[in-house]
Amino acid sequence: MVSIFNAPTRNLDIVTLHEILRLRQDVFVVEQGAAYPDIDGRDLEPGTLQFWAGQGSVDATLRLLREPDGTERIGRVATAAASRGQGLAAQLMEAAIAEARSSRIAIDAQAHLEQWYARFGFVRSGEDFSEDGIPHLPMARTR
């Protein structure tokens, strides 16, 4: 059985943090070819929570940020190739939404995942844009 976890980045043990960062690198940098600064300092901001799913490993992850304006932001949603199709990212999305304290949650979604994020109540909130050569769109969910 897969377990869902969350914790502030500063409270993670070094092995879990390593596995989260490795998974993000495997998916975004290696698989998607997006050479970008994943370790951007935001993981260490007060209020940032890391979510992960797995059975003694990190099979999927995302992070929940608390923006200065009170909005919360879900990002870095990634699932290991071998673990896709099991609903892990959906479970993490539900857990992050449940944990959010703001009435507004934002996400910058890869365009091909617009309908997937819509399942969780996210709607388009602006114009399409390209990030690292990948089409994205802003989306938001309000309570």
Side-chain angles (χ1 to χ4, degrees), residues 12-143:
L12 294 177
D13 67 86
I14 194 70
V15 173
T16 300
L17 177 59
H18 176 271
E19 292 302 305
I20 288 170
L21 295 174
R22 185 173 61 113
L23 176 56
R24 288 173 15 184
Q25 173 185 271
D26 288 350
V27 172
F28 301 122
V29 178
V30 177
E31 182 181 328
Q32 296 181 356
Y36 74 105
D38 177 44
I39 301 174
D40 59 1
R42 302 233 40 209
D43 292 304
L44 295 178
E45 292 177 359
T48 297
L49 292 176
Q50 301 292 336
F51 289 77
W52 68 99
Q55 295 175 302
S57 59
V58 175
D59 299 319
T61 187
L62 64 75
R63 74 178 178 187
L64 177 66
L65 304 171
R66 294 192 165 94
E67 301 286 12
D69 69 358
T71 298
E72 293 187 86
R73 178 171 296 278
I74 293 174
R76 304 295 202 264
V77 181
T79 303
S83 298
R84 292 184 187 146
Q86 299 175 29
L88 299 180
Q91 290 177 57
L92 291 177
M93 287 294 295
E94 290 167 355
I97 290 166
E99 187 71 30
R101 295 180 289 192
S102 175
S103 62
R104 185 172 192 275
I105 306 170
I107 190 165
D108 289 337
Q110 291 186 7
H112 72 279
L113 295 172
E114 181 175 5
Q115 293 307 309
W116 188 81
Y117 286 112
R119 294 176 25 192
F120 305 101
F122 288 88
V123 296
R124 177 185 290 268
S125 60
E127 298 298 317
D128 290 1
F129 63 95
S130 179
E131 186 172 313
D132 299 309
I134 299 170
H136 281 72
L137 63 137
M139 299 182 81
R141 179 185 192 278
T142 56
R143 295 185 210 244

